[in-house]
Amino acid sequence: MKTALTIAGSDCSGGAGIQADLKTMTMNGVYAMSAITALTAQNTTGVRAIQESTPEFLKHQLDAIFEDIFPDAVKIGMVSSAELIKVIADRLKIYKAKSIVVDPVMVATSGSSLMKTDAVSTLMDELLPIADVVTPNIPEAEILSGMAVSDKEDMIKAAKKIGDTYGCAVLLKGGHNIHDANDLLYANGNFKWFYGKRIGNPNTHGTGGTLSSAIASNLAKGYDLETSVQRAKNYISGALSDMLDLGQGSGPMNHAFHLNSEFTK
């Protein structure tokens, strides 16, 4: 069985973060493991508190995983401090981790900031150069590229700038500001649009992390990047279309929308 590791923060309400990543990886057919960068007290209406892991404890988590069950792919989500980012970059280099997907989580769906200011520059300097693919939304791409992004031409320019600067593939998600569900992949000097139908579901808590986890899962199984992105988008569309409605704010998707076995009945 193929394996995938998520390095991210915990979401106690289960819709995003580590919990969503584990559900997504399981539903996409790989053995899921996790290294927790922070505990958050949050729900569908917002983030109330964040308690970071210490750099030393995060290092111990990563060492324990890589020394025993080597992951076939790694997804990196919420990492709120520069010190933790440095630990992650260091360990991934030492273990020669493969198929690294970076979801540069800076702000939660609810609007809460999840990253300290110095962590943004450290993420750009330390993690993006070792990533296989980075998956920013429009606001994140504006920060990473230093450009305003308001239309498809801007998406092309921003994706190219990020990819060329850091030497990684870029999946720029068009869901923010661009009023469709079309995403742009820039890899090896080539552009490819992934067209999607916008689904009228206000419950989008954790969609970005779920997409990056699904991409990592498919890379772990040996699919190429374009195929992994398409399969991940299909999974997200299915989860959103199930129209799960939980919580008082922007609720979670049903990650297990396609789960049907004797153990679920």
Side-chain angles (χ1 to χ4, degrees), residues 104-191:
V105 182
M106 298 175 187
V107 178
T109 302
S110 62
S112 302
S113 177
L114 296 174
M115 183 175 276
K116 299 172 186 175
T117 305
D118 63 335
V120 176
S121 59
T122 306
L123 176 131
M124 294 162 71
D125 293 340
E126 300 283 345
L127 280 187
L128 296 195
I130 65 171
D132 289 274
V133 59
V134 59
T135 62
N137 57 31
I138 297 292
E140 292 159 352
E142 290 181 327
I143 293 171
L144 297 178
S145 67
M147 300 170 49
V149 180
S150 58
D151 56 28
K152 290 184 175 181
E153 287 302 314
D154 290 341
M155 288 179 68
I156 291 171
K157 293 175 184 176
K160 187 176 190 306
K161 183 172 183 181
I162 296 167
D164 290 350
T165 300
Y166 300 104
C168 60
V170 181
L171 180 68
L172 180 43
K173 298 172 291 189
H176 289 71
N177 299 353
I178 312 297
H179 299 295
D180 55 42
N182 299 335
D183 301 335
L184 175 65
L185 178 65
Y186 176 67
N188 301 316
N190 298 311
F191 295 96

Side-chain angles (χ1 to χ4, degrees), residues 66 70 85-98 100 125-131:
F66 276 95
F70 195 96
I85 291 171
K86 289 175 181 177
V87 168
I88 294 167
D90 176 67
R91 303 327 282 173
L92 295 186
K93 291 175 186 174
I94 286 174
Y95 290 111
K96 297 180 172 59
K98 52 190 179 181
I100 299 172
D125 293 340
E126 300 283 345
L127 280 187
L128 296 195
I130 65 171

Side-chain angles (χ1 to χ4, degrees), residues 206-221:
T207 49
T210 296
L211 180 69
S212 58
S213 292
I215 292 171
S217 300
N218 283 290
L219 290 173
K221 292 186 291 187

Side-chain angles (χ1 to χ4, degrees), residues 3-258:
T3 62
L5 166 65
T6 169
I7 307 171
S10 165
D11 171 9
C12 60
S13 69
I18 288 285
Q19 288 82 347
D21 295 341
L22 295 176
K23 296 173 190 177
T24 299
M25 290 173 173
T26 300
M27 288 298 297
N28 280 272
V30 299
Y31 179 79
M33 301 176 288
S34 64
I36 298 177
T37 61
L39 302 176
T40 69
Q42 68 172 291
N43 57 27
T44 63
T45 65
V47 179
R48 303 185 181 193
I50 299 175
Q51 180 66 55
E52 287 185 359
S53 294
T54 65
E56 181 181 14
F57 185 68
L58 179 58
K59 174 183 176 295
H60 285 316
Q61 291 182 77
L62 294 171
D63 287 342
I65 291 165
F66 276 95
E67 290 172 8
D68 190 29
I69 306 175
F70 195 96
D72 293 300
V74 178
K75 170 263 172 79
I76 304 167
M78 173 195 165
V79 190
S80 54
S81 75
E83 292 75 19
L84 294 176
I85 291 171
K86 289 175 181 177
V87 168
I88 294 167
D90 176 67
R91 303 327 282 173
L92 295 186
K93 291 175 186 174
I94 286 174
Y95 290 111
K96 297 180 172 59
K98 52 190 179 181
S99 298
I100 299 172
V101 181
V102 175
D103 180 21
V105 182
M106 298 175 187
V107 178
T109 302
S110 62
S112 302
S113 177
L114 296 174
M115 183 175 276
K116 299 172 186 175
T117 305
D118 63 335
V120 176
S121 59
T122 306
L123 176 131
M124 294 162 71
D125 293 340
E126 300 283 345
L127 280 187
L128 296 195
I130 65 171
D132 289 274
V133 59
V134 59
T135 62
N137 57 31
I138 297 292
E140 292 159 352
E142 290 181 327
I143 293 171
L144 297 178
S145 67
M147 300 170 49
V149 180
S150 58
D151 56 28
K152 290 184 175 181
E153 287 302 314
D154 290 341
M155 288 179 68
I156 291 171
K157 293 175 184 176
K160 187 176 190 306
K161 183 172 183 181
I162 296 167
D164 290 350
T165 300
Y166 300 104
C168 60
V170 181
L171 180 68
L172 180 43
K173 298 172 291 189
H176 289 71
N177 299 353
I178 312 297
H179 299 295
D180 55 42
N182 299 335
D183 301 335
L184 175 65
L185 178 65
Y186 176 67
N188 301 316
N190 298 311
F191 295 96
K192 179 177 175 63
W193 285 98
F194 290 83
Y195 297 100
K197 177 183 176 183
R198 180 171 284 278
I199 297 166
N201 185 346
N203 297 305
T204 58
H205 184 54
T207 49
T210 296
L211 180 69
S212 58
S213 292
I215 292 171
S217 300
N218 283 290
L219 290 173
K221 292 186 291 187
Y223 290 104
D224 62 34
L225 181 57
E226 287 190 12
T227 304
S228 295
V229 170
Q230 186 61 66
R231 288 173 64 90
K233 280 185 67 68
N234 292 345
Y235 172 72
I236 281 277
S237 294
L240 286 171
S241 297
D242 200 67
M243 304 304 276
L244 182 66
D245 188 16
L246 296 174
Q248 301 174 51
S250 179
M253 298 172 291
N254 182 10
H255 293 90
F257 74 96
H258 206 260

